[in-house]
């Protein structure tokens, strides 16, 4: 521990808001100022995370959430006020973060992590912070972070219990990921959640997870403390979790085992940034470029389900559709011809290049902007980032979307 008495007042800049942090021997404020952090979820956990990032002087933050503020949020979310009801959570959280730390370069993304958050946003970040309330979103984050080699720090809370976990992809392929921690029960609950892909999240849940602001503060505090250690190159909870049992005030560390057959352990070794946008780039154009590198048998993997058609089993009508799965709602299930209550959804996630969809711009297929698509063969794979979308997606936070950030080994 550093002896505070060994640091004289002359060592500290007069009026510097981070004076007290400089008493910590290993503290590197310029490193925090340069850090890029993606916060996914702006509910109870997300509010505490964003508040802490602003107080710590994290310089570049993107906040992603698709929900609107409700009055019930006010008892658990320090950044929201009654007059904010009905406004996007991400936008209000970003505004509040600027009020706390005016020098923070913070940007809001109002969208669904499952379907509208492109993988390039993850690649922009040094670290991803999760403030989520469901397994499906966590699994989506985990797969993107593993795919592009970004660490992420997960938090989960219920009533007065909680857990914070750190997942760091490593070149040696030894660390466990979030999917490695999932039990048979987790997969059953996830399957039930996905059982109808024409329902919105609110329609599927039918209820809410009860939480308190106290447990949100505890778990988000641990998450942000682990973030600090990651950014400073210190030992972290990588591959482990901090569990807090609020009823007894007990806490303990759990270790997770890596599963060799886990489907999330597919990391892209190379990512090529394309100058075009999702409004102009087609799957066929990406395949043509990829086949010059990988061979003519390369296919394009979207990493998400896109809708090709809606088929009615009653009257046989098949309606061609090009959109993301997220854009469909429960009303789209009903057949406009025979009024049958449920049409089947035909989806695809790969293309060979000879399909009608291959010649359409990515945006028309439902691919989110700034996404990363994978061209692959049995021998190798290359990621293609639609980097031309960066200014429109993350604004001034765009900076660069390359890999000049922190090294994670």
């Amino acid at each position: 521990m550093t002896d505070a008495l060994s640091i004289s007042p002359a060592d500290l800049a007069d009026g510097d808001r981070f004076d007290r942090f400089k008493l910590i021997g290993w503290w590197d404020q310029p490193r925090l100022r340069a850090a890029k952090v993606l916060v996914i979820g702006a509910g109870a956990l997300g509010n505490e995370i964003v508040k802490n990032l602003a107080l710590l002087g994290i310089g570049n933050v993107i906040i992603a959430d698709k929900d609107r503020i409700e009055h019930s949020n006010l008892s658990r979310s320090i950044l929201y006020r009654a007059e904010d009801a009905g406004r996007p959570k991400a936008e209000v959280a970003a505004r509040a973060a600027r009020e706390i730390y005016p020098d923070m370069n913070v940007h809001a993304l109002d969208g669904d992590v499952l379907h509208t958050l492109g993988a390039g946003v993850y690649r922009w970040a040094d670290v991803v912070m999760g403030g989520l309330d469901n397994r499906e979103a966590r699994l989506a984050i985990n797969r993107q972070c593993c795919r592009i080699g970004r660490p992420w720090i997960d938090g989960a809370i219920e009533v007065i219990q909680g857990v914070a976990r750190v997942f760091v992809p490593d070149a040696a392929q030894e660390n466990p990921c979030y999917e490695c921690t999932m039990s048979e029960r987790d997969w059953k609950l996830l399957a039930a959640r996905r059982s109808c892909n024409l329902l919105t999240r609110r329609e599927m849940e039918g209820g809410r997870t009860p939480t308190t602001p106290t447990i949100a503060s505890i778990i988000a505090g641990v998450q942000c403390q682990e973030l600090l250690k990651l950014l400073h190159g210190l030992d972290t909870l990588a591959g482990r979790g901090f569990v807090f049992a609020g009823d007894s005030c007990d806490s303990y560390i759990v270790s997770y085992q890596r599963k060799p057959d886990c489907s999330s352990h597919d990391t892209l070794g190379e990512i090529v940034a394309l100058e075009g946008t999702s409004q102009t780039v087609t799957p066929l154009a990406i395949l043509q470029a990829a086949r010059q590198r990988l061979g003519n048998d390369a296919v394009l993997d979207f990493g998400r389900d896109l809708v090709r058609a809606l088929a009615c089993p009653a009257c046989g009508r098949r309606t061609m559709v090009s959109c993301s799965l997220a854009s469909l709602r429960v009303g789209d299930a009903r057949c406009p011809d025979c009024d049958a209550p449920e049409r089947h959804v035909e989806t695809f996630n790969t293309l060979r290049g000879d399909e009608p969809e291959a010649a359409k711009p990515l945006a028309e297929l439902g691919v989110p902007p700034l996404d990363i698509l994978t061209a692959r063969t049995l021998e190798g794979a290359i990621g293609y980032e639609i980097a031309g979308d960066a200014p429109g997606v993350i604004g001034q936070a765009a900076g660069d979307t390359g890999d000049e950030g922190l090294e994670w080994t």
Side-chain angles (χ1 to χ4, degrees):
M1 181 177 295
T2 301
D3 183 1
L5 297 179
S6 65
I7 301 177
S8 69
D11 294 326
L12 303 177
D14 184 38
D16 185 349
R17 67 188 293 155
F18 303 119
D19 277 355
R20 295 299 183 268
F21 296 158
K22 293 178 181 178
L23 296 172
I24 302 171
W26 47 263
W27 196 273
D28 187 345
Q29 196 64 45
R31 188 173 180 84
L32 300 185
R33 179 67 184 88
K36 296 176 288 186
V37 178
L38 169 60
V39 180
I40 301 179
L45 272 176
N47 263 242
E48 291 295 321
I49 291 169
V50 170
K51 176 207 72 177
N52 288 338
L53 297 184
L55 292 174
L56 291 167
I58 301 297
N60 306 280
V61 176
I62 293 176
I63 305 169
D65 196 300
K66 73 182 185 64
D67 289 334
R68 299 298 184 264
I69 296 170
E70 301 175 355
H71 283 290
S72 63
N73 298 132
L74 301 181
S75 63
R76 295 168 292 116
S77 306
I78 187 62
L79 304 180
Y80 303 149
R81 302 293 180 264
E83 59 267 25
D84 296 323
R87 296 187 60 196
K89 286 183 176 180
E91 292 181 7
V92 176
R95 180 200 66 192
R98 291 189 200 98
E99 292 175 354
I100 297 171
Y101 179 36
D103 289 336
M104 176 185 280
N105 178 20
V106 57
H107 186 74
L109 291 179
D110 180 20
D112 185 347
V113 60
L114 294 174
H115 303 288
T116 62
L117 190 61
V121 183
Y122 294 87
R123 190 174 179 233
W124 166 88
D126 293 320
V127 184
V128 177
M129 304 288 282
L132 303 155
D133 61 1
N134 69 86
R135 294 168 180 82
E136 189 173 19
R138 288 189 180 93
L139 187 59
I141 291 174
N142 184 73
R143 289 181 173 174
Q144 294 287 24
C145 287
C146 287
R147 185 178 171 219
I148 59 176
R150 290 296 185 270
W152 78 285
I153 304 175
D154 175 44
I157 57 176
E158 184 171 358
V159 191
I160 56 173
Q161 327 294 330
V163 59
R165 301 181 283 193
V166 181
F167 302 106
V168 181
D170 66 314
Q173 297 292 301
E174 295 177 353
N175 289 340
C177 71
Y178 169 75
E179 186 171 345
C180 294
T181 73
M182 292 179 64
S183 65
E184 184 177 350
R185 179 176 179 272
D186 289 324
W187 285 109
K188 287 181 178 179
L189 291 171
L190 182 59
R193 181 182 177 86
R194 291 171 167 175
S195 61
C196 180
N197 56 19
L198 291 181
L199 294 182
T200 64
R201 191 180 88 171
R202 185 179 297 252
E203 291 166 331
M204 285 189 289
E205 287 179 344
R208 294 290 189 271
T209 300
T211 60
T212 61
T214 51
I215 189 62
S217 295
I218 293 168
I219 297 303
V222 174
Q223 287 181 268
C224 290
Q225 193 153 276
E226 290 303 300
L227 169 74
L228 283 175
K229 292 193 287 182
L230 270 172
L231 293 176
H232 283 90
L234 304 176
D235 289 338
T236 69
L237 283 172
R240 294 174 293 163
F242 167 86
V243 180
F244 181 80
D247 51 356
S248 61
C249 282
D250 289 333
S251 64
Y252 54 92
I253 303 297
V254 296
S255 296
Y256 304 111
Q257 298 300 314
R258 181 183 175 91
K259 295 179 180 177
D261 59 346
C262 176
S263 59
S264 286
H265 300 163
D266 185 11
T267 302
L268 284 171
E270 179 182 3
I271 298 177
V272 176
L274 301 177
E275 294 182 357
T277 71
S278 54
Q279 299 288 338
T280 59
V281 176
T282 66
L284 185 58
I286 298 176
L287 274 173
Q288 289 171 341
R291 284 171 176 167
Q292 294 180 13
R293 300 272 308 277
L294 298 172
N296 292 331
D297 58 342
V299 299
L300 193 62
D301 183 354
F302 291 88
R304 63 183 74 244
D305 288 329
L306 303 174
V307 180
R308 172 171 286 145
L310 296 173
C312 178
C315 70
R317 179 177 178 181
R318 184 170 178 266
T319 304
M320 301 303 295
V321 179
S322 292
C323 65
S324 69
L325 198 57
S327 66
L328 296 180
R329 292 296 180 262
V330 66
D332 297 319
R334 186 169 295 278
C335 179
D337 285 358
C338 70
D339 205 37
E342 186 174 344
R343 291 186 288 177
H344 296 160
V345 182
E346 298 179 11
T347 63
F348 66 96
N349 51 40
T350 60
L351 290 178
R352 299 183 307 273
D354 55 355
E355 304 89 346
E357 293 89 355
K360 295 182 178 181
L362 296 172
E364 291 186 17
L365 301 179
V367 176
L370 196 54
D371 205 10
I372 299 175
L373 287 70
T374 305
R376 65 174 71 251
T377 65
L378 293 176
E379 287 73 34
I382 300 174
Y384 288 88
E385 180 185 72
I386 316 303
D389 288 328
V393 175
I394 54 181
Q396 293 181 354
D400 73 84
T401 54
D403 285 319
E404 290 79 11
L406 302 178
E407 293 291 334
W408 304 112
T409 57

